[in-house]
């Protein structure tokens, strides 16, 4: 993979044609934690500029799959991976590829909002940029506003950017974390149950935001909420016991699944 500046990302539009190209490909992906195999030879294409939902019961490997897409599992000492993952055709596990660059290009938003409590709202947005060496105040100011606007938070915080991030509500904190991920201009955004700890109104804001963001970003979301997956995703992958059972357009997976196991899960017979 050629050297990539942390602040000059390759955009999805540079790689794709038509409505949906492929942003990420996983081939024969297996993940182990010690002797325990969590994922079993999963092969899946993640569409560019679309929302892909990962569904399945607890413990089926959803979050493990998500973390493999930006090498987060490498932070766990006993974890190891087999198989191949490519970002717009580039092997993200190649020896010369730095994990920090992968994680900048493939951002992550976690289940629980995690703003840095000792930092202001503005500092939370720009922390990743500063870690990447950006110091120009004008650029930092512009990127702060741009990112907060993309996260649908600017109008709510523009007059108190220097207030502590923890002064925000739970839903606002989660949108701040999304703004922080967007500030470094990723190509793919991974979301692990981003609304599970939020009230219905805040959840609605997050879902509206996801639908807006897919115009410019490829999004992968893990969710236990079947209604949420049906509302916001273009494609759905159903995992069970570490295996990919079924994958396809969301309408088909929910309305006309090929596998009985999928039908049982999406209709609430188990899980």
């Amino acid at each position: 993979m050629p050297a990539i500046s942390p602040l000059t990302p390759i955009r999805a539009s540079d790689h794709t044609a038509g409505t949906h190209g492929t942003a990420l490909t996983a081939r024969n992906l297996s993940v182990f934690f010690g002797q325990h195999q969590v994922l079993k030879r999963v092969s899946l294409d993640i569409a560019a500029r679309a929302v892909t939902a990962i569904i399945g019961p607890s413990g089926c490997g959803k979050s493990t799959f998500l973390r493999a897409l930006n090498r987060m599992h490498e932070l766990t000492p006993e974890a190891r991976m087999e198989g191949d993952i490519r970002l717009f055709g580039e092997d993200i596990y190649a020896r010369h590829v730095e994990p920090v660059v992968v994680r900048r290009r493939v951002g992550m938003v976690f289940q629980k909002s995690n703003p840095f409590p000792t930092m202001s709202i503005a500092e939370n947005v720009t922390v990743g940029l500063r870690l990447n060496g950006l110091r120009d105040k004008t650029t930092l100011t512009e990127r702060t506003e741009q990112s907060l606007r993309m996260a649908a938070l600017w109008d709510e915080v523009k007059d108190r950017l220097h207030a502590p991030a923890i002064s925000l509500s739970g839903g606002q904190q989660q949108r701040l974390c999304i703004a922080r991920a967007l500030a470094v201009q990723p190509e793919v955004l991974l979301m692990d149950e981003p609304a599970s700890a939020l009230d219905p109104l805040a959840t609605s804001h997050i879902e509206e935001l996801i639908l807006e963001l897919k115009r410019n970003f490829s999004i992968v979301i893990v969710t236990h909420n079947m209604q949420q997956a049906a509302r916001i995703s273009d494609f759905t992958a159903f995992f069970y016991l570490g295996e990919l059972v079924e994958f396809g357009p969301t309408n088909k997976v929910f309305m006309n699944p090929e596998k009985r196991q999928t039908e049982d899960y999406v209709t609430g017979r188990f899980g």
Side-chain angles (χ1 to χ4, degrees):
M1 187 171 88
I4 298 170
S5 166
L7 300 179
T8 54
I10 300 172
R11 308 309 299 171
S13 58
D14 296 330
H15 295 266
T16 62
T19 305
H20 297 300
T22 301
L24 282 161
T25 60
R27 292 292 178 269
N28 297 317
L29 175 65
S30 296
V31 176
F32 302 80
F33 292 94
Q35 298 300 312
H36 178 54
Q37 185 172 1
V38 179
L39 287 182
K40 304 171 184 177
R41 299 181 65 82
V42 171
S43 294
L44 182 62
D45 290 347
I46 303 296
R49 295 191 178 185
V51 178
T52 299
I54 311 297
I55 63 172
S58 298
C60 69
K62 302 186 300 297
S63 293
T64 297
F65 175 75
L66 201 70
R67 289 167 181 259
L69 297 179
N70 73 344
R71 298 179 60 167
M72 282 289 291
H73 71 81
E74 291 184 353
L75 300 175
T76 303
E78 293 188 340
R80 64 183 176 88
M81 189 206 85
E82 296 176 357
D84 182 79
I85 299 178
R86 294 180 180 268
L87 174 62
F88 295 113
E90 298 168 323
D91 182 0
I92 67 170
Y93 281 88
R95 289 188 176 182
H96 61 281
V97 177
E98 292 290 337
V100 67
V101 175
V102 174
R103 293 171 196 148
R104 202 276 307 154
R105 296 179 66 190
V106 185
M108 174 81 84
V109 176
F110 297 94
Q111 179 175 3
K112 184 178 179 181
S113 59
N114 59 342
F116 297 108
T118 61
M119 294 184 183
S120 69
I121 294 168
E123 288 170 336
N124 263 271
V125 176
T126 59
V127 62
L129 298 171
R130 294 177 185 274
L131 289 173
N132 278 309
L134 183 62
R135 295 290 182 268
D136 182 73
K137 290 184 178 179
T138 300
T139 303
L140 289 170
T141 298
E142 291 174 350
R143 196 69 67 82
T144 297
E145 179 175 348
Q146 178 190 49
S147 302
L148 288 169
R149 285 189 182 279
M150 285 192 293
L153 191 56
W154 174 253
D155 289 337
E156 297 171 41
V157 302
K158 62 184 179 182
D159 296 323
R160 51 184 178 130
L161 293 174
H162 300 294
I166 56 174
S167 67
L168 299 175
S169 69
Q172 288 174 323
Q173 287 186 25
Q174 189 64 300
R175 281 182 283 153
L176 178 62
C177 293
I178 293 172
R180 186 174 65 197
L182 295 175
V184 295
Q185 297 184 329
E187 297 151 77
V188 178
L189 193 60
L190 310 177
M191 296 182 165
D192 194 354
E193 296 273 6
S196 64
L198 303 179
D199 61 53
L201 181 59
T203 296
S204 177
H205 286 319
I206 295 295
E207 291 182 1
E208 290 171 3
L209 175 58
I210 290 170
L211 292 174
E212 182 68 24
L213 288 174
K214 78 172 183 178
R215 297 181 182 183
N216 296 302
F217 301 93
S218 309
I219 298 174
V220 188
I221 179 171
V222 164
T223 180
H224 278 97
N225 187 322
M226 296 298 98
Q227 291 78 18
Q228 182 176 79
R231 284 193 300 264
I232 68 172
S233 69
D234 302 286
F235 302 95
T236 295
F238 170 52
F239 281 60
Y240 185 64
L241 297 178
E243 297 182 347
L244 175 62
V245 176
E246 187 163 347
F247 173 69
T250 294
N251 285 342
K252 184 178 186 305
V253 170
F254 277 85
M255 303 302 295
N256 188 30
E258 294 181 359
K259 305 290 180 64
R260 176 63 183 269
Q261 205 170 35
T262 307
E263 181 179 357
D264 288 346
Y265 184 74
V266 300
T267 56
R269 292 194 180 97
F270 80 97

